[in-house]
Amino acid sequence: MLYREAGDFKTSYQKDSQTFPLKFDRMGYWTVMVVAFLVVPFVINDYWANAVAVPFLIYAIAALGLNILTGYAGQVSLGTGGFMAVGAYACYKLMTMFPEVSMLVHVVLAGGITALVGVLFGLPSLRIKGFYLAVATLAAQFFLVWLFNKVPWFYNYSASGQINAPERTVFGIIVTGPNTEAWAKYLFCLIFVVVLAWIARNLTRGMTGRKWMAIRDMDIAAEIIGVNPLMAKLTAFAVSSFFVGIAGALFFSIYLGAAEVGEAFGIQKSFLILFMIIIGGLGSIFGSFAGAAFMVLMPVFLKNVLVGGLGWPTDLAAHLEFIIVGGLIVVFLILEPHGLAQLWRLTKEKLRLWPFPH
Amino acid sequence: MNDMSADSYVTEDGRTIGGVVMEMKNITLRFGGVVAIKDISFDIREGEIRAIIGPNGAGKSSMLNVISGFYKPQEGEVMYRGEKRPPMKPYQVAQQGIARTFQNIALFDGMSVLDNIMTGRLNSMNASLLSQAVWWGKAQKEEFENREKVEKVIDFLEIQAIRKTPVGRLPYGLKKRVELARALAAEPSLLLLDEPMAGMNVEEKEDMSRFILDVNDEFGTTIALIEHDMGVVMDLSDRVVVMDYGKKIGDGTPDEVRNNQDVIDAYLGVAHD
Ligand SMILES: Nc1ncnc2c1ncn2[C@@H]1O[C@H](COP(=O)(O)OP(=O)(O)O)[C@@H](O)[C@H]1O
Ligand SMILES: [Mg+2]
C-alpha cells in the first residue's frame, strides 16, 4: 500500500508540473507541432519564409531571451540589439574561421559567447536597479554597436564594413547564403525555437525560475530566505544573452544574409523586442511568441490590407503602425501588464466554464 | 533563570529546552544619529520559544535583522552554536538554517502560493543549471522530493485549498500563514517571526498560536518571535526579552517580566492606559 501511494504521489506531482495540464491544450500543442514540422516545410515559399515565418521564429527566440531577464528576473534591459550583434558577429567570425564546421555548432557557440558577454555587462546589476540598470544596458547597446563598427577585425576588414554570410551547411543541407531554400531556413530556425522554448519552460518552472521571480518580486526578502542575488541575476543575464545571441546569429546568417551593425542591431531593435514582451506578456513563454507574432504580422497585415487592398499610401500605413503599437504599449502597461498571454488565459477560463459561469 | 548554564531542563508542559544556540553579545546598532539597539545582550536556547516585546520603535525588528545578517551592528558579537559568527550575507545566514517571516509581509506577489512555499526549499536544492534546463535527472528528482516536503507543510498549515492561488489575491491573514509556510518549508533550526499575529482577528490569532506551538512541539524548532499582544506572549513563550528605546529593560520568564517594575512602567503601563 505504502509503495503504491508513494508512486502515486510522484506521478501526481509530475502531472502537476506539466506544461499543459489540460488535455485540450496538449492536443493544441501537438497539432501546432505536427503542422509546423510536417506541413509547413512542404508548402512554404520564399515570400512566406522571408516576410513572416523566419522573422517570427527568430524574434520569438529574442523575446524569450529578454523575457527571461526582464519578465522573469525583473532586470530591465535596453541592450537586446547590442547582444544580438554579439551573437551575429561571433557567428560570422566562427563561420569564416571554421568553414567546414556545421552551422548548428556555430550558432550554439555564438549563443555561448553572447552569454559570457551578457554576464560581464550583468555584473553592475548587483549594485544598480530599475531605471539606472536600464540606462547601463543602454550604454552597453551603444558601446557594442560602436565596437563592431570601429574594430575592422570583427568584419574581417571588408571594405563596406558589412558582414556577409557565406554558404554553410547542416548535415549537407545549405542553410546560409543565396542558394538556401525557403524550407531549409524555416526548419533550421524552427528547431532552435522549439528547443529553446522547451529550455525556457524547464528553467522557469524549476528552482532557477523561482529564484529569478523572487528577486523580481522582492529582492530583499529573496536574499533573506537564501537567494544569492548575484548568482540569480547573473544566471538570468547568461541564459537570456544565450537566447538573444542565438537570435542575433540567426538574424544575420539566415534572415539577412548581410548586415551592417547599426542598421540591423541598433537601439530600434532593443525597443522592438521590448515591445514584443510587453504586448505579449511579461513573464510568459507563450507571451513571447504572441508578442513576436503580433509585431511581425501587424506590419505585413497593414501593408497587404491598407496599401494593397485599400490603396492607402505606404507612409500613412507606416504611421498607423506607430500609432497602433504606441497605443497598445500604453494600454498594456496600464491595464494588463501580463499582455496578450493573460487575455488568452482569461478567454480560456471563460470558455472552460461556459456555459456555467460559476 | 539568570543562570545561563548550558544544562538542559524540562518545561512544565514536558518539552526539553537545551543549551544556548544563539547568543547576542553587547549589540549596538546605529542608523546615523539614531541608536536602534544599545548594548543589548541576550541568548536563545535550543527548543525554546523566546519572545521579544516592547513598544513601537524599540528596536525589535532591528534585532531580528541583525540575527538575519541584514543589518550589521557597529558593536558586539553574534555567537551561533558556540562560535563567533563572522560577517555574513543574509543568504549565508539562511543557509545555516535560520528562517524568518517579516513584519510587513514579504511574499513574492507574482508567484502562486505553492511556488512561494517552494522557494523555502531552495537551500536544499542544488541541481545544476544544465540538469534544470533539460528537466532531467537530479533536477526532476529534487523537484518532486522537495514538493513532497512542501505538501506536508501545506497540510500542516491547512492551506491546501489555496495552493495554486497567486499570493497577491489572498487576504491578509492567509498571507501571513503562507509566509509562515515558506519559512517552515526550509525546515529551519531557528525560526524568527516578526509580529506573526499583527492585524489578525481573535480567531486567526488562535490559529496562529496553535501553529507556533505545534511547530515548536512537533519539530523541536527553536523560535524567536516579536509580538505585541501580551496575552499571546505570556501564553506562548518560555522566556521574554523586553526592549524599550533600544535598551533591554527586562529578561526572564513571562511571570518575572510581568512583575518587573521597569517593564510595567515602560510597556505594560502604556499598554493598559
Ligand atoms: N533601515 C533603517 N534606517 C534608519 N532607521 C531605521 C532603520 N530600521 C530601523 N530604524 C530605526 O530604528 C528604530 C527601531 O526600529 P524597529 O527595529 O523597526 O523597531 P520595532 O520593531 O521595535 O518597532 C526606529 O527608530 C527606526 O526608525
Ligand atoms: Mg518592528
Side-chain angles (χ1 to χ4, degrees):
Chain A
M1 273 317 277
L2 206 66
Y3 172 71
R4 205 175 270 180
E5 201 176 306
D8 242 331
F9 260 93
K10 283 237 166 79
T11 50
S12 72
Y13 294 150
Q14 191 137 14
K15 283 217 178 99
D16 211 40
S17 60
Q18 266 178 344
T19 306
F20 302 104
L22 295 184
K23 195 174 171 208
F24 189 79
D25 285 348
R26 265 201 308 284
M27 277 163 54
Y29 169 77
W30 286 113
T31 311
V32 169
M33 291 298 256
V34 166
V35 171
F37 275 98
L38 300 180
V39 179
V40 177
F42 294 100
V43 297
I44 197 163
N45 57 25
D46 273 330
Y47 173 76
W48 279 97
N50 292 330
V52 178
V54 169
F56 161 67
L57 293 173
I58 296 173
Y59 280 130
I61 296 175
L64 277 172
L66 183 61
N67 222 336
I68 284 172
L69 187 63
T70 303
Y72 283 97
Q75 311 296 303
V76 181
S77 169
L78 293 175
T80 315
F83 291 115
M84 284 178 78
V86 174
Y89 279 77
C91 187
Y92 173 67
K93 291 301 286 186
L94 289 165
M95 284 167 86
T96 49
M97 278 196 249
F98 309 100
E100 64 291 344
V101 174
S102 164
M103 245 335 253
L104 220 45
V105 177
H106 291 324
V107 173
V108 172
L109 281 182
I113 291 168
T114 314
L116 292 178
V117 176
V119 167
L120 202 66
F121 282 100
L123 282 173
S125 69
L126 188 66
R127 284 296 147 95
I128 51 178
K129 289 172 189 168
F131 175 72
Y132 297 96
L133 181 64
V135 173
T137 57
L138 194 62
Q141 164 74 42
F142 285 112
F143 169 75
L144 289 168
V145 168
W146 173 85
L147 182 74
F148 294 124
N149 252 328
K150 270 286 168 277
V151 182
W153 178 80
F154 285 117
Y155 49 86
N156 284 358
Y157 307 93
S158 78
S160 62
Q162 282 198 340
I163 52 175
N164 286 284
E167 188 170 293
R168 294 290 178 268
T169 59
V170 177
F171 304 122
I173 298 161
I174 300 170
V175 292
T176 63
N179 299 324
T180 316
E181 306 239 23
W183 67 266
K185 288 185 189 182
Y186 164 80
L187 216 50
F188 189 63
C189 293
L190 181 66
I191 289 167
F192 276 100
V193 168
V194 171
V195 173
L196 290 173
W198 176 69
I199 289 176
R201 163 69 188 150
N202 288 340
L203 287 175
T204 53
R205 70 173 149 172
M207 205 36 109
T208 296
R210 290 190 199 103
K211 287 181 187 170
W212 289 341
M213 291 186 273
I215 290 283
R216 171 196 70 190
D217 287 346
M218 198 171 274
D219 54 353
I220 290 173
E223 184 171 5
I224 288 181
I225 67 165
V227 178
N228 179 340
L230 184 63
M231 283 306 291
K233 287 176 185 177
L234 289 188
T235 51
F237 269 96
V239 174
S240 163
S241 306
F242 179 71
F243 280 53
V244 170
I246 285 181
L250 294 174
F251 196 73
F252 150 67
S253 65
I254 309 292
Y255 179 60
L256 294 178
E260 193 277 321
V261 62
E263 213 171 284
F265 304 110
I267 180 73
Q268 322 86 283
K269 194 101 320 153
S270 299
F271 279 111
L272 178 66
I273 315 284
L274 188 62
F275 292 165
M276 286 176 183
I277 66 169
I278 291 172
I279 289 176
L282 290 167
S284 160
I285 308 261
F286 173 76
S288 310
F289 283 92
F294 184 84
M295 294 299 281
V296 168
L297 287 177
M298 191 194 45
V300 174
F301 174 80
L302 290 182
K303 197 165 157 231
N304 282 334
V305 173
L306 299 182
V307 182
L310 301 175
W312 285 29
T314 319
D315 57 341
L316 193 62
H319 288 156
L320 189 66
E321 187 190 330
F322 283 132
I323 294 171
I324 292 177
V325 171
L328 280 176
I329 296 283
V330 173
V331 168
F332 275 120
L333 278 181
I334 295 172
L335 297 180
E336 188 47 85
H338 298 292
L340 292 172
Q342 179 71 2
L343 294 183
W344 172 238
R345 207 158 22 224
L346 292 176
T347 313
K348 278 200 304 187
E349 231 161 75
K350 290 246 163 64
L351 286 178
R352 181 140 59 133
L353 298 174
W354 190 87
F356 308 107
H358 293 293
Chain B
M1 276 311 299
N2 285 333
D3 170 28
M4 290 304 162
S5 66
D7 300 338
S8 56
Y9 67 97
V10 177
T11 59
E12 281 168 25
D13 51 349
R15 292 170 306 125
T16 306
I17 307 294
V20 172
V21 191
M22 177 148 273
E23 189 179 1
M24 313 301 285
K25 273 187 166 170
N26 306 99
I27 301 285
T28 296
L29 175 72
R30 283 184 290 265
F31 295 103
V34 181
V35 185
I37 301 174
K38 202 171 182 182
D39 194 25
I40 290 191
S41 301
F42 72 97
D43 61 20
I44 302 168
R45 299 175 69 139
E46 182 111 53
E48 78 175 338
I49 299 182
R50 184 71 145 133
I52 304 175
I53 65 172
N56 263 331
K60 307 179 298 294
S61 295
S62 299
M63 184 59 88
L64 285 203
N65 282 330
V66 168
I67 300 179
S68 286
F70 186 59
Y71 289 166
K72 313 265 176 265
Q74 279 80 8
E75 284 158 44
E77 282 170 12
V78 180
M79 309 284 291
Y80 187 55
R81 300 201 178 280
E83 278 170 39
K84 185 180 170 213
R85 193 173 81 181
M88 270 186 185
K89 293 256 165 34
Y91 70 87
Q92 294 168 317
V93 173
Q95 286 162 2
Q96 290 200 325
I98 299 179
R100 68 172 291 183
T101 64
F102 300 81
Q103 184 171 350
N104 308 309
I105 301 167
L107 288 169
F108 308 121
D109 275 345
M111 298 158 73
S112 68
V113 166
L114 180 63
D115 275 331
N116 265 276
I117 305 174
M118 280 296 282
T119 60
R121 299 292 314 155
L122 64 88
N123 291 310
S124 329
M125 295 171 72
N126 51 16
S128 68
L129 195 64
L130 194 66
S131 168
Q132 293 183 62
V134 296
W135 198 249
W136 196 255
K138 186 162 184 191
Q140 205 184 35
K141 185 163 158 272
E142 218 175 49
E143 180 80 14
F144 296 137
E145 281 169 4
N146 285 283
R147 173 75 191 272
E148 218 156 319
K149 297 206 164 162
V150 162
E151 287 296 334
K152 289 204 179 105
V153 175
I154 287 176
D155 288 345
F156 180 77
L157 291 179
E158 299 157 14
I159 45 178
Q160 299 90 337
I162 55 166
R163 223 191 242 109
K164 292 288 167 72
T165 313
V167 287
R169 281 196 215 155
L170 296 178
Y172 181 84
L174 275 180
K175 279 190 184 171
K176 282 259 176 201
R177 208 186 278 192
V178 173
E179 211 193 9
L180 177 64
R182 182 179 68 188
L184 286 182
E187 299 178 303
S189 54
L190 174 59
L191 177 62
L192 312 173
L193 305 174
D194 196 343
E195 305 204 13
M197 291 167 231
M200 287 186 166
N201 61 35
V202 176
E203 199 184 322
E204 288 172 325
K205 278 186 186 180
E206 278 171 4
D207 281 344
M208 189 56 94
S209 303
R210 179 165 55 85
F211 291 134
I212 292 172
L213 285 172
D214 284 352
V215 168
N216 174 260
D217 202 22
E218 281 185 34
F219 312 124
T221 310
T222 309
I223 297 173
L225 73 97
I226 296 174
E227 188 43 58
H228 269 302
D229 187 320
M230 283 309 289
V232 170
V233 170
M234 297 302 164
D235 284 349
L236 283 182
S237 51
D238 297 300
R239 289 189 302 154
V240 185
V241 178
V242 191
M243 290 177 69
D244 191 20
Y245 291 112
K247 282 181 291 205
K248 182 169 104 169
I249 57 170
D251 189 350
T253 62
D255 278 334
E256 286 168 348
V257 165
R258 212 195 320 251
N259 298 320
N260 178 325
Q261 192 56 47
D262 286 342
V263 176
I264 293 168
D265 292 345
Y267 184 68
L268 299 180
V270 178
H272 290 288
D273 262 353

